[in-house]
Amino acid sequence: MGVVIVRYSIFVRPDLMQVFWARMQAGDFISEAVELIKTSRRTGHRILLDAGGVRPRRGRDLKGRCLSFAEREEIALLRIQGQTLREIGAAVGRSASTISRELRRNHVVGIGYRATNAHALAFDRAARPKPAKLHVNTELRAKVERDLAKKYSPEQIAGRLRVEFPDREGMWVSPETIYQSLYVQSRGALKRDLTSYLRTGRAVRRPSRKVGQRKNRIPDMINISERPAEADDRAVPGHWEGDLIIGKGNLSAIGTLVERTTNYTMLLHLPDGYTSDLVRDALTAKIKTLPDSLRHSLTWDQGTEMGQWKTISIDADIDIYFCDPHSPWQRGTNENTNGLLRQYFPKGTDLSIHSAEDLDWVAQELNDRPRKRLAFTKPIELIEKLLLQ
């Protein structure tokens, strides 16, 4: 018998997946939900896509009957130490027969018993998908597909089926079943391209939220209206504007900082994503390269990447303010600079492939361009004068 290789990933951890989905339905953004399960925003985005935006039932209200990943890790460790089945069972709070069955079922020839392989095998074995009604009932599926093509909503289709087939329960279906058959690929009942006939036309279903459930993006943020007047007229250097330019699929980003008086630009290297932790570290380190005289204020958009703005403000010794929603003109210098940067980092490309050296080179070239607003002097010429003072 050959060696069996079982792929372990977060997708075989319903306990973690349900934490992610619970936070999404509570109003969190992807970047916040993935922080709780110690994974990347890229993975969170994939979780949503694979599920079609529909929270899976599997893993909800776990009763403790099934072994957890932590228990399997302990079993593997104790097994290597040579402990008996009864000793292992006592250590993890399970019977010896449970341990025996676990080791027998999830032992991989040529590898032995490992927690990752065992958990993946158990996850695959426990899957007992019930055939979707729209998959097995071809007459019903054809009727639903025709009505979707007429732009009927799932609720209208479900209601009309009861009117047209009052005595045939086999031709009845709930709106939720139609939605799940459209969005959940594993059901394989309805083609996902039929979602284009829905009113929203979304290819991925958004987690449902109650009105007012979404929490504020930035805790205790200070509005731009409270920024010192000296920052508005650009007379005093040291006031900065910042934002992110986003890459393909919202999976990568580069941070941008522009000084309002000189147009001097600095770029933040974010190769591993743009969670609040990563942005905090990169932004703090970059600002701290500046002298105190050029660290007066920073104005940013209301993006969740600035969730730890208070820490940045303290560590980098700079005041931070936030623009009003949907008001990019309040960071006009930064917006214009981001437009110039798209010459180097086109939209729809992966921005994580660029090294820190690449970003420094782009910033240097941009700062060496003469600007009309600066009477055709260069940002680098103006900032050097300030640094020499």
Side-chain angles (χ1 to χ4, degrees):
M1 184 176 178
V3 176
V4 179
I5 302 297
V6 181
R7 182 175 177 80
Y8 171 85
S9 72
I10 194 173
F11 290 88
V12 301
R13 294 287 303 275
D15 53 330
L16 298 181
M17 297 284 277
Q18 288 300 332
V19 169
F20 170 83
W21 282 103
R23 293 319 311 157
M24 289 298 297
Q25 289 191 320
D28 281 3
F29 296 88
I30 295 178
S31 56
E32 296 169 323
V34 296
E35 285 182 353
L36 295 173
I37 57 176
K38 308 299 181 184
T39 191
S40 66
R41 189 180 188 279
R42 185 190 298 267
T43 300
H45 191 258
R46 184 183 159 198
I47 292 172
L48 286 176
L49 287 179
D50 285 359
V54 179
R55 181 178 182 176
R57 296 188 179 95
R58 190 170 184 178
R60 293 194 191 189
D61 304 319
L62 292 173
K63 304 299 182 182
R65 180 177 63 84
C66 301
L67 288 170
S68 67
F69 182 71
E71 288 175 318
R72 288 192 165 99
E73 285 187 311
E74 190 168 1
I75 290 171
L77 179 61
L78 296 176
R79 184 67 171 172
I80 292 174
Q81 294 174 357
Q83 296 198 26
T84 67
L85 298 180
R86 292 186 181 278
E87 290 172 334
I88 296 174
V92 299
R94 301 280 184 170
S95 67
S97 61
T98 296
I99 304 302
S100 175
R101 185 166 54 250
E102 170 68 16
L103 293 172
R104 184 177 66 255
R105 286 180 173 181
N106 298 323
H107 178 276
V108 178
V109 177
I111 296 179
Y113 181 86
R114 292 181 180 175
T116 51
N117 288 339
H119 205 74
L121 283 168
F123 179 86
D124 185 62
R125 190 185 303 113
R128 300 173 185 171
K130 180 180 178 182
K133 188 173 186 179
L134 288 170
H135 183 73
V136 298
N137 190 332
T138 56
E139 180 186 2
L140 176 60
R141 181 170 71 246
K143 171 66 174 171
V144 170
E145 287 176 344
R146 286 196 300 270
D147 287 347
L148 282 170
K150 296 177 184 177
K151 296 183 172 55
Y152 288 11
S153 71
E155 185 177 29
Q156 290 168 339
I157 294 172
R160 186 63 187 174
L161 286 170
R162 290 175 178 262
V163 173
E164 294 184 16
F165 305 98
D167 301 320
R168 294 179 59 188
E169 290 191 16
M171 288 295 290
W172 296 357
V173 67
S174 70
E176 182 61 23
T177 295
I178 297 174
Y179 277 119
Q180 294 216 7
S181 295
L182 282 169
Y183 286 109
V184 182
Q185 292 178 335
S186 60
R187 289 182 172 263
L190 298 174
K191 296 179 180 179
R192 186 173 285 187
D193 57 10
L194 288 170
T195 56
S196 62
Y197 293 116
L198 297 177
R199 181 179 59 83
T200 62
R202 296 190 190 113
V204 176
R205 197 176 182 188
R206 291 184 181 176
S208 58
R209 298 182 176 96
K210 297 178 181 178
V211 176
Q213 190 176 19
R214 185 180 290 281
K215 62 186 182 182
N216 291 334
R217 285 176 174 265
I218 308 295
D220 305 320
M221 62 182 179
I222 303 175
N223 189 263
I224 190 174
S225 61
E226 300 183 44
R227 189 175 66 179
E230 67 178 30
D232 296 332
D233 59 17
R234 304 176 189 268
V236 178
H239 297 281
W240 297 78
E241 296 175 1
D243 193 16
L244 299 178
I245 55 174
I246 307 299
K248 183 179 180 180
N250 296 327
L251 298 177
S252 58
I254 293 173
T256 64
L257 286 171
V258 185
E259 203 282 314
R260 285 174 54 81
T261 301
T262 63
N263 278 49
Y264 185 78
T265 301
M266 298 192 298
L267 301 180
L268 307 182
H269 189 223
L270 300 167
D272 301 317
Y274 51 102
T275 64
S276 59
D277 287 345
L278 295 172
V279 171
R280 174 201 63 202
D281 295 343
L283 186 54
T284 300
K286 185 64 72 172
I287 293 175
K288 289 174 74 172
T289 63
L290 298 168
D292 294 342
S293 59
L294 290 178
R295 284 194 237 169
H296 295 316
S297 77
L298 170 63
T299 303
W300 204 277
D301 196 4
Q302 292 188 26
T304 56
E305 69 275 3
M306 288 294 284
Q308 300 196 44
W309 69 272
K310 291 182 179 179
T311 303
I312 299 170
S313 179
I314 294 172
D315 292 347
D317 191 23
I318 191 170
D319 295 330
I320 299 179
Y321 304 92
F322 292 91
C323 299
D324 295 320
H326 313 297
S327 304
W329 60 87
Q330 294 179 342
R331 295 177 299 98
T333 306
N334 185 237
E335 283 291 302
N336 291 335
T337 302
N338 288 349
L340 297 176
L341 287 168
R342 284 300 185 182
Q343 293 178 287
Y344 304 92
F345 311 113
K347 291 183 179 180
T349 60
D350 181 6
L351 302 182
S352 65
I353 65 173
H354 302 289
S355 66
E357 290 74 20
D358 294 336
L359 302 192
D360 289 342
W361 179 85
V362 170
Q364 182 179 1
E365 183 159 302
L366 205 61
N367 290 327
D368 196 49
R369 286 192 194 182
R371 305 295 178 86
K372 181 178 180 180
R373 189 183 73 80
L374 304 175
F376 297 103
T377 56
K378 303 175 181 180
I380 188 64
E381 293 172 339
L382 295 178
I383 205 77
E384 283 180 345
K385 292 178 181 178
L386 297 172
L387 293 175
L388 294 173
Q389 289 179 357

